[in-house]
Amino acid sequence: KVNDGGPRGAFVVLEGLDRSGKTSQSSKLLSFLEGLGHPTELWRFPDRTTSIGQMISAYLSNQSQLDDHTIHLLYSANRWEKSSLMETQLKSGTTLIVDRYSYSGVAFSSAKGLDFEWCKAPEIGLLAPDLVLYLDIPPEKAAERGGYGGERYEKLEFQRKVAECYQALRDPSWKIIDGCQPMEEIQKQFQEIVLDHVSACKKGRPLSHLW
Ligand code: FDM
């Protein structure tokens, strides 16, 4: 059913460590695509607006404690609860720029020591992005940018482990962009790559599933 290959919006995911610049770059991408007249929405995970998202938010701000497996499954459930809307939007021709997805899910939980394959399992069957843009920045550089807030994972030691886990997840289709370049430079590179995918999806490209 999903695999009909008709014209649709592109599903673009931005990944990277905390403070790598994903959030600024994703809003820039949104205005760029909108400016060209492409219907586009900016999404992010965790989506803190749902009731599952509120549980995640409370956990991240240390207002609640949850077992590592439990929080992992909540993150995954938070993606599953949005997945049919995601499919509808893509099929209606809307491009989705998504700030974090299953890759964050696996990288952050396996950085805590959970089994890598176990972490991947609940993501099986979710829509696969057309493009993963990885903003590559050394954990030390990210920490120097300051503004590591008080959230649970915003600690240098932990971010180092997350970087290693992202490394293990990377596949050759990912676009790795040097996150230490000036913002405008990154923006230009993003724009070019994303436009290619928007055009390809507009012509028709089947949706696929993880992993
Ligand atoms: N995070 C995010 C996870 O641990 N698993 C996930 O599946 C996702 C989507 O949540 F530290 C972590 C990554 C980050 C935190 O993300 C909140 P934002 O981008 O700072 O809201």
Side-chain angles (χ1 to χ4, degrees):
K1 180 171 110 281
V2 173
N3 232 355
D4 57 8
R8 60 172 176 85
F11 175 12
V12 178
V13 167
L14 272 75
E15 287 283 0
L17 298 180
D18 288 306
R19 310 302 299 163
S20 58
K22 294 181 304 307
T23 306
S24 334
Q25 291 297 337
S26 33
S27 43
K28 295 218 159 85
L29 264 179
L30 172 71
S31 20
F32 171 73
L33 292 173
E34 282 179 337
L36 292 174
H38 297 292
T40 309
E41 286 180 12
L42 181 51
W43 285 29
R44 66 177 311 145
F45 288 107
D47 177 339
R48 302 187 193 212
T49 64
T50 70
S51 50
I52 294 171
Q54 283 161 25
M55 293 172 71
I56 296 171
S57 194
Y59 168 83
L60 282 170
S61 58
N62 288 304
Q63 288 167 298
S64 73
Q65 307 305 320
L66 290 169
D67 163 75
D68 292 343
H69 300 82
T70 309
I71 183 67
H72 182 77
L73 295 173
L74 287 179
Y75 277 116
S76 185
N78 187 229
R79 284 182 280 280
W80 278 106
E81 67 180 337
K82 304 297 287 188
S83 67
S84 59
L85 181 60
M86 187 175 252
E87 187 176 333
T88 308
Q89 295 302 72
L90 291 168
K91 286 186 166 174
S92 76
T94 302
T95 284
L96 302 180
I97 307 294
V98 182
D99 186 352
R100 298 193 185 280
Y101 195 57
S102 303
Y103 313 96
S104 283
V106 178
F108 280 77
S109 292
S110 59
K112 295 173 178 171
L114 297 190
D115 179 75
F116 190 70
E117 294 305 322
W118 186 89
C119 290
K120 287 177 79 174
E123 311 296 315
I124 295 174
L126 282 172
L127 286 178
D130 296 294
L131 172 64
V132 178
L133 295 166
Y134 184 79
L135 265 172
D136 198 18
I137 178 173
E140 296 71 22
K141 271 268 156 56
E144 277 169 22
R145 290 185 173 177
Y148 266 166
E151 284 208 324
R152 196 178 275 267
Y153 301 143
E154 299 179 342
K155 312 240 161 43
L156 179 56
E157 245 345 280
F158 187 69
Q159 297 284 322
R160 284 201 181 105
K161 288 194 188 130
V162 174
E164 280 170 25
C165 295
Y166 266 128
Q167 192 84 288
L169 266 176
R170 259 187 209 188
D171 82 51
S173 69
W174 287 25
K175 302 288 179 203
I176 314 294
I177 281 96
D178 177 0
C180 298
Q181 303 174 92
M183 289 258 273
E184 299 68 33
E185 197 52 48
I186 298 174
Q187 218 178 309
K188 265 199 288 182
Q189 296 173 19
F190 272 24
Q191 290 174 352
E192 197 175 322
I193 304 167
V194 170
L195 267 187
D196 280 350
H197 286 265
V198 168
S199 312
C201 293
K202 212 168 185 173
K203 287 186 195 129
R205 185 198 269 180
L207 276 167
S208 57
H209 297 95
L210 293 178
W211 284 95

